[in-house]
Amino acid sequence: MKDTEINERTERVEEIIETLETGDIELEKAARLRAEAHELLDELEEHLAVGDGEVAVLTDN
Amino acid sequence: MGSKANEDDDNGVEKEDNGIDPSQDGVTTVSELNASIGDWISSAENLMSEFVVGEVTDAGVSNSTLYFQLTDDDASIQCLVFNNYRNRIDIDIEEGMEIAVVGELSFYEAQGNCSIYVHDALAMGEGAYQQKLEKLREELTEEGLFDDARKQPLPDYPEVIGVVTSVGSDAQEDALNAIHTRYPDVDVRVHGANVQGDRAPLDLEVALNTLDVTPDIDTVILTRGGGSNEDLRAFNEEDVVRTVADMDTPTVAAIGHEMDQTLVGAAADYRAMTPTDAGEAVVTEKALVTDDVTAQRERVNTAYSRVLEQKLDSYRTRVDDVFDAVETQHEHEQEVAATKRRYKLVIAALLALLLLGLFLWWFL
């Protein structure tokens, strides 16, 4: 996942939070947005575990 | 030759008896040799010319004494300007200058080193290397190789980082420590290279080009620790500078210390001060990012709970309103029914009175 994808997800979560915070929303839609936000955040958390910190020496000097 | 039998010295260390005795003729110690050289230098006439000309490199000040190497193509000698002479010299001795020094030759017996104790110095102009370097810097600047517009942003979330450095060096260790302290999960690919000497420029080019085409590498760090200006010359070689400038992968250069201004540093997308700074520059702090995600999740939950509460409050209010309306209607209906009953009683009473009236009128 590249920077743009991460930033897009983060921005979408922010949008969802703002929409929910206005309170002017149907309950069914609010539940749908909450589920979408959790899915995006799960993806972000999964992405943050990018590797296992391996150091590989390709070529000595 | 003497016996091969082994003996112990005063410290109990086994010494081999090879028949050489420091006290015999033809044998000398390092101390005696250096003392002889020192005596010979101090008594030699015309050993030191009136002026010694060379380029100033590796200049610095320690305990008020200015020190530098006076260098030409093939050789260098250490020069020291003690504090009492520094104020008498008309020029500011700086890196890259070509100067002529006047002074006395001194031999430091303890280390077997020769130095010039400088009493005066005259400027000769920029040294040959420095002139060449400045000319190259001007050409590349004019070409736009160092322009900000050419520089690529570093990715915020790299997954794999390439490092070009001397394998096993302190620079490698510092850069890796900085990367993994901030972001332990990031994988690193190290491509070793000679970072000084004749082979260094080609080594560096090969390493950079290799990492640039290695799949998945998001950022490249080119680094080495501090050294003399001569040690860092590979990082001013035109081919190396052009390789760095042409990298498709965003590249960070951390060469030497903060004061070391190499052309590679100017051509890189980002110039870090030290290997540690380079490591810190290429990764964000994972703990902060995960904290942000956790905070966002809490905000989503809080905002959703608030929506839920508002809806429940709204439903509760509506139920209460409907109940109140029904109750009011019921009370009204009860009042109407009571009124009707009262009317019926009055009517019945009136009818009874009417019947009674008719009855009395009929029979009386």
Side-chain angles (χ1 to χ4, degrees):
Chain A
M1 196 186 290
K2 297 297 176 190
D3 282 9
T4 49
E5 295 170 83
I6 292 171
N7 291 334
E8 279 169 10
R9 281 165 172 73
T10 307
E11 284 168 15
R12 176 64 185 144
V13 172
E14 279 295 328
E15 274 178 19
I16 290 172
I17 291 169
E18 283 175 21
T19 305
L20 291 174
E21 282 175 344
T22 63
D24 185 18
I25 185 173
E26 293 299 319
L27 195 56
E28 192 182 337
K29 188 177 178 189
R32 210 166 49 239
L33 289 177
R34 176 175 176 265
E36 183 190 344
H38 276 284
E39 192 178 333
L40 292 170
L41 291 168
D42 288 345
E43 286 172 11
L44 283 172
E45 278 183 337
E46 194 177 325
H47 171 71
L48 292 177
V50 292
D52 54 10
E54 176 201 21
V55 176
V57 178
L58 303 179
T59 312
D60 270 330
N61 357 325
Chain B
M1 296 293 286
S3 141
K4 294 285 184 184
N6 291 336
E7 297 173 359
D8 286 352
D9 66 6
D10 293 342
N11 296 322
V13 177
E14 201 174 72
K15 292 197 306 185
E16 188 172 344
D17 181 3
N18 52 19
I20 297 175
D21 180 358
S23 62
Q24 73 184 77
D25 287 345
V27 179
T28 188
T29 63
V30 174
S31 300
E32 290 166 347
L33 175 64
N34 282 6
S36 299
I37 294 171
D39 289 345
W40 183 80
I41 287 175
S42 59
S43 61
E45 293 180 4
N46 302 323
L47 180 63
M48 180 80 177
S49 303
E50 186 176 1
F51 294 103
V52 181
V53 175
E55 182 176 342
V56 176
T57 61
D58 303 321
V61 176
S62 176
N63 295 328
S64 301
T65 299
L66 172 66
Y67 61 86
F68 58 90
Q69 293 288 321
L70 197 62
T71 308
D72 65 13
D73 289 339
D74 302 316
S76 68
I77 187 167
Q78 185 178 49
C79 293
L80 300 169
V81 188
F82 294 111
N83 196 32
N84 54 332
Y85 282 103
R86 284 179 67 189
N87 294 334
R88 299 183 203 172
I89 297 175
D90 291 334
I91 60 168
D92 291 328
I93 297 174
E94 292 176 348
E95 294 269 348
M97 290 174 72
E98 189 160 14
I99 62 173
V101 301
V102 178
E104 60 179 299
L105 196 61
S106 170
F107 184 74
Y108 182 42
E109 289 183 17
Q111 293 186 353
N113 290 338
C114 255
S115 301
I116 298 175
Y117 291 172
V118 178
H119 297 168
D120 200 359
L122 303 171
M124 305 285 287
E126 286 183 339
Y129 175 77
Q130 194 66 22
Q131 284 178 9
K132 188 178 152 197
L133 177 62
E134 289 312 313
K135 186 166 177 281
L136 179 60
R137 189 189 301 274
E138 280 174 23
E139 284 173 6
L140 298 180
T141 302
E142 199 166 319
E143 195 180 318
L145 214 69
F146 306 140
D147 286 357
D148 286 345
R150 285 181 59 97
K151 300 196 184 301
Q152 308 177 81
L154 304 182
D156 290 330
Y157 305 100
E159 296 179 23
V160 183
I161 294 169
V163 177
V164 175
T165 192
S166 175
V167 171
S169 63
D170 289 346
Q172 177 190 326
E173 189 179 342
D174 289 349
L176 294 187
N177 278 343
I179 290 169
H180 283 146
T181 298
R182 286 167 73 84
Y183 213 114
D185 314 31
V186 169
D187 291 339
V188 180
R189 308 273 182 268
V190 180
H191 196 303
N194 282 295
V195 293
Q196 68 187 64
D198 294 341
R199 288 175 51 193
L202 185 58
D203 265 16
L204 294 170
E205 283 176 59
V206 169
L208 287 165
N209 286 325
T210 302
L211 291 185
D212 202 23
V213 296
T214 301
D216 301 330
I217 289 184
D218 300 303
T219 311
V220 170
I221 294 175
L222 170 60
T223 189
R224 65 150 287 159
S228 69
N229 283 350
E230 287 178 52
D231 291 342
L232 304 183
R233 283 186 177 181
F235 297 90
N236 289 321
E237 287 292 320
E238 183 173 355
D239 288 344
V240 180
V241 178
R242 288 191 181 282
T243 301
V244 169
D246 290 341
M247 292 282 285
D248 290 327
T249 313
T251 302
V252 174
I255 313 300
H257 298 301
E258 187 173 352
M259 298 300 291
D260 296 320
Q261 305 269 355
T262 61
L263 298 185
V264 156
D269 295 307
Y270 182 86
R271 176 180 171 252
M273 298 296 127
T274 61
T276 298
D277 286 341
E280 291 176 350
V282 295
V283 287
T284 50
E285 201 162 337
K286 185 181 179 186
L288 295 180
V289 183
T290 51
D291 285 352
D292 285 347
V293 171
T294 304
Q296 275 195 317
R297 197 181 290 281
E298 285 172 5
R299 286 175 62 203
V300 168
N301 289 339
T302 304
Y304 178 73
S305 298
R306 198 170 297 128
V307 169
L308 208 58
E309 282 169 17
Q310 284 171 352
K311 292 294 171 195
L312 289 175
D313 284 347
S314 160
Y315 292 146
R316 194 174 292 121
T317 305
R318 285 172 62 190
V319 167
D320 288 347
D321 289 349
V322 169
F323 180 78
D324 289 347
V326 168
E327 197 172 45
T328 305
Q329 179 69 24
H330 180 67
E331 286 171 0
H332 176 68
E333 285 171 359
Q334 281 184 328
E335 280 177 17
V336 169
T339 304
K340 281 181 179 174
R341 277 197 302 276
R342 280 196 297 274
Y343 286 157
K344 283 177 183 174
L345 285 173
V346 169
I347 289 167
L350 288 173
L351 282 174
L353 285 172
L354 182 62
L355 287 174
L356 183 61
L358 285 173
F359 177 78
L360 290 174
W361 176 73
W362 184 262
F363 291 101
L364 297 179

